[in-house]
């Protein structure tokens, strides 16, 4: 290793046992990779789901599941003159959290819901530094203040569910830096965050790294984020390293076709191709992506209006005292018109009310004010029995297909159930035929019919969720953060599918997202929400080129742009 190398991975190979009764049923998730993490620098480990990047990070910390995972002989993880793979579990516990710590992707599943955040941070200090309770509490307040959490004393006594997503991630960072580690591993720490919160977290990590002079291994699938934070890049696919080098080198002149594909799969802000490129377009030498024709967006004003929402309001009430209650206005005075065959993008930070608008239109929340005219009929005021035919015509795709698909049903049952409930199809055989047609429509093989949701990837599960919506032949599809958790290439596939369906069936979309690049690509008009109210409404191109409201300007300025890094290094 070079003198300035903090940690070196050498020929790391990790295998998983798929069948405990069959020694030959092993899957090699990491296939002999090697890279260095220099002192006081950020190395980005980039790749899609299944590339082996998270397995690599868990190997460094000794957190692989012992019952079915094994690091193969010859592998080395060199740190401080020792091979971490040779250390005992006690020695690794001493090292873990003190010298090498980790921030996980989802703070709500990493923080203990039954303990206050102050207790959980103090536990790290007591275990590794032996601080007394008063000393630990004082250090907890210092850490919370350092990571930018307001009113540290009050937040220290709060439980994780009482904090926003950005604050939860800051608590995770506070725990990770509590013992001033030399290496911080951040596994997709900003994937599910709003662009403004994402920018704050990235700036916070950069500031902490500079202050504490620690190294960072930053794991992500988004090269735009890499351009904001990393000094070096390691690109992985299928357990192998496809390319590595300085960020400037990789962005300026990517040598591997897979790296070039990752850079090109994100929806560009400066143009709107008719079809987004996907990884497979680049991997086949005989099928390089063509220069796509641009897709026109916007509304002329002559389109027929399918949904007219007027002064929509939704309040939630919580008990206060013995007999009182407190009103929280989640949505107030929201008005818009949705033209047939067009897409309305709804953007805003968490808590802005954008998801509440979608759920209220679906009658999953009951509106407290306003009306929504669907072809002239107020769907919010009609009795539930009268609303049932309209429920078929307005469908929703949720963010998390893991939670929205019944794990006990096969895909065939999931897609057949709404047909049966709504009396679509004259027989079981006819419904089976319709389901197979839907599977083909969303690009899934016929064999999917007999499989369960857990047998599919995240992108395939989202296709199943889209197919379930299409069983009703809807006029309006509400997409609630439906691509935010997907890899960039899978995201491109789903966006292409949604666009194809809109072109073919004339669907109208309400596209809710915090990813502004995706919203610009998909939307004809954009509605910006802040604290339950609409602060700006305009055609997609206008709102990105000439944002009027300061909040919109703030959102747009926070978008990470890989293209900016490319332009800077080639200038």
């Amino acid at each position: 290793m070079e003198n300035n190398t903090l940690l070196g991975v050498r020929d790391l190979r990790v295998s998983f046992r798929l069948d405990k009764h069959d020694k030959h049923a092993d899957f090699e998730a990491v296939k002999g990779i090697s890279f260095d993490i220099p002192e006081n620098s950020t190395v980005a480990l980039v790749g899609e789901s299944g590339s082996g990047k998270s397995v690599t990070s868990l190997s460094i910390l000794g957190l692989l599941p012992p019952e079915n995972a094994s690091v193969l002989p010859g592998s080395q993880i060199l740190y401080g003159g020792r091979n971490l793979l040779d250390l005992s579990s006690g020695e690794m516990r001493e090292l873990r959290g003190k010298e090498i710590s980790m921030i996980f992707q989802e703070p709500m599943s990493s923080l203990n819901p039954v303990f206050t955040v102050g207790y959980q941070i103090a536990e790290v200090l007591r275990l590794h530094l032996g601080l007394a309770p008063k000393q630990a509490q004082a250090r907890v307040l210092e850490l919370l203040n350092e990571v930018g959490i307001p009113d540290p004393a009050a937040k220290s006594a709060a439980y994780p569910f009482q904090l926003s997503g950005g604050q939860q991630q800051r608590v995770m960072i506070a725990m990770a830096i509590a013992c001033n580690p030399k290496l911080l591993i951040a596994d997709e720490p900003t994937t599910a965050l709003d662009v403004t919160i994402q920018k704050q977290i990235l700036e916070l990590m950069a500031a902490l790294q500079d202050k504490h002079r620690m190294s960072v291994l930053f794991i992500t699938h988004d090269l735009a984020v890499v351009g904001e934070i990393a000094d070096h890049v390691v690109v992985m696919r299928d357990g192998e390293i496809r390319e590595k080098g300085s960020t400037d080198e990789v962005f300026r002149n990517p040598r591997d076709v897979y790296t070039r594909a990752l850079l090109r799969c994100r929806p560009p802000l400066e143009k709107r191709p008719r079809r987004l490129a996907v990884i497979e377009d680049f991997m086949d030498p005989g099928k390089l992506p063509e220069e796509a024709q641009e897709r026109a967006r916007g509304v002329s004003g002559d389109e027929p209006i399918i949904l007219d929402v007027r002064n929509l309001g939704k309040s939630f009430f919580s008990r206060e005292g013995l007999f009182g209650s407190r009103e929280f206005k989640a949505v107030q005075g929201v008005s818009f018109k949705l033209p047939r065959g067009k897409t309305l993008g709804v953007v805003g930070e968490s808590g802005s009310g954008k998801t509440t608008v979608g759920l209220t239109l679906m009658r999953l929340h009951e509106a407290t004010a306003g009306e929504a005219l669907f072809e002239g009929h107020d769907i919010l005021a009609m009795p539930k029995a009268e609303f049932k035919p309209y429920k078929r015509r307005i469908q929703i795709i949720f963010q998390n297909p893991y939670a929205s698909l019944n794990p006990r049903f096969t895909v065939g049952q999931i897609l057949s159930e709404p047909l049966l409930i709504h009396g679509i199809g004259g027989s079981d055989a006819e419904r089976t035929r319709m389901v197979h047609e839907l599977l083909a429509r969303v690009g899934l093989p016929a064999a999917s019919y007999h499989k369960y949701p857990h047998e599919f990837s995240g992108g395939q599960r989202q296709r199943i969720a889209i197919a379930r919506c299409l069983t009703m032949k809807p006029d309006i599809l509400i997409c609630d953060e439906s691509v935010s958790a997907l890899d960039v290439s899978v995201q491109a596939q789903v966006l292409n599918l949604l666009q194809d369906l809109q072109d073919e069936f004339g669907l109208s979309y309400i596209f809710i997202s915090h990813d502004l690049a995706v919203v610009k690509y998909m939307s004809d008009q954009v509605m910006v929400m802040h604290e339950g109210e609409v602060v700006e409404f305009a055609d997609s191109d206008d709102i990105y080129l000439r944002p009027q409201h300061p909040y919109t300007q703030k959102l747009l300025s926070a978008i990470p742009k890989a293209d900016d890094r490319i332009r800077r290094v080639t200038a």
Side-chain angles (χ1 to χ4, degrees), residues 186-203:
D187 188 3
E188 301 271 14
T190 62
T191 296
L193 300 179
D194 300 325
V195 285
T196 50
I197 305 299
Q198 173 180 265
K199 186 176 182 180
Q200 292 171 17
I201 295 298
L202 293 177
E203 290 174 346

Side-chain angles (χ1 to χ4, degrees), residues 328-380:
F328 169 66
K329 295 182 178 180
V331 171
Q332 47 188 327
V334 170
S335 300
F336 63 86
K337 294 182 179 181
L338 179 64
R340 184 179 293 276
K342 297 292 184 178
T343 300
L344 171 67
V346 185
V347 300
E349 296 172 286
S350 295
S352 63
K354 57 187 188 296
T355 292
T356 303
V357 168
L359 296 177
T360 304
L361 293 175
M362 288 288 298
R363 297 279 295 266
L364 297 175
H365 290 322
E366 289 298 327
T368 50
E371 55 185 2
L373 304 179
F374 189 117
E375 297 179 339
H377 302 280
D378 185 5
I379 58 175
L380 302 181

Side-chain angles (χ1 to χ4, degrees), residues 450-496:
H450 298 287
K451 293 183 177 181
Y452 290 87
H454 74 269
E455 298 180 74
F456 296 87
S457 68
Q460 289 173 324
R461 273 187 280 247
Q462 203 59 289
R463 288 171 182 266
I464 295 167
I466 293 171
R468 182 174 58 182
C469 291
L470 294 178
T471 58
M472 298 290 97
K473 298 182 179 178
D475 296 290
I476 298 173
L477 202 52
I478 300 173
C479 304
D480 186 14
E481 300 279 11
S482 52
V483 298
S484 63
L486 302 178
D487 293 330
V488 286
S489 181
V490 178
Q491 182 184 86
Q493 293 172 17
V494 173
L495 293 177
N496 286 337

Side-chain angles (χ1 to χ4, degrees), residues 58 74 76 85 115 122 156 177 194 210 239 259 264 330 390 401 423 457 506 509 515-516:
L58 294 174
Q76 290 184 307
L85 301 175
F115 291 119
S156 173
I177 67 167
D194 300 325
D210 188 57
T259 309
R264 291 276 299 277
Y390 291 94
S457 68
Y509 292 146
D515 190 328
L516 300 182

Side-chain angles (χ1 to χ4, degrees), residues 352-542:
S352 63
K354 57 187 188 296
T355 292
T356 303
V357 168
L359 296 177
T360 304
L361 293 175
M362 288 288 298
R363 297 279 295 266
L364 297 175
H365 290 322
E366 289 298 327
T368 50
E371 55 185 2
L373 304 179
F374 189 117
E375 297 179 339
H377 302 280
D378 185 5
I379 58 175
L380 302 181
M382 61 180 58
K384 289 188 176 181
E386 190 179 336
F387 175 64
K388 187 175 179 180
Y390 291 94
K391 188 183 293 187
R392 286 178 50 177
R393 301 177 64 187
I394 306 176
Q395 292 290 303
I396 187 167
I397 308 169
F398 293 100
Q399 174 177 356
N400 186 356
Y402 296 86
S404 60
L405 299 176
N406 191 327
R408 295 178 180 273
F409 280 13
T410 64
V411 169
Q413 291 172 310
I414 288 170
L415 300 185
S416 299
E417 185 183 38
L419 296 173
L420 191 61
I421 290 173
H422 289 275
I424 300 173
S427 65
D428 288 344
E430 185 178 352
R431 282 187 283 270
T432 299
R433 178 186 58 76
M434 295 170 69
V435 168
H436 280 288
E437 288 177 355
L438 285 168
L439 289 173
R441 169 61 55 196
V442 298
L444 291 173
S448 304
Y449 185 92
H450 298 287
K451 293 183 177 181
Y452 290 87
H454 74 269
E455 298 180 74
F456 296 87
S457 68
Q460 289 173 324
R461 273 187 280 247
Q462 203 59 289
R463 288 171 182 266
I464 295 167
I466 293 171
R468 182 174 58 182
C469 291
L470 294 178
T471 58
M472 298 290 97
K473 298 182 179 178
D475 296 290
I476 298 173
L477 202 52
I478 300 173
C479 304
D480 186 14
E481 300 279 11
S482 52
V483 298
S484 63
L486 302 178
D487 293 330
V488 286
S489 181
V490 178
Q491 182 184 86
Q493 293 172 17
V494 173
L495 293 177
N496 286 337
L497 170 63
L498 289 172
Q499 190 55 67
D500 291 342
L501 294 171
Q502 186 175 53
D503 291 343
E504 183 173 352
F505 299 112
L507 298 177
S508 301
Y509 292 146
I510 297 177
F511 196 89
I512 300 168
S513 180
H514 66 256
D515 190 328
L516 300 182
V518 170
V519 169
K520 181 180 187 298
Y521 174 74
M522 287 294 294
S523 303
D524 297 286
Q525 294 179 301
V526 175
M527 182 169 74
V528 183
M529 293 191 66
H530 181 52
E531 295 182 350
E533 298 181 303
V534 177
V535 297
E536 191 161 355
F537 191 106
D539 277 1
S540 175
D541 290 336
D542 290 340

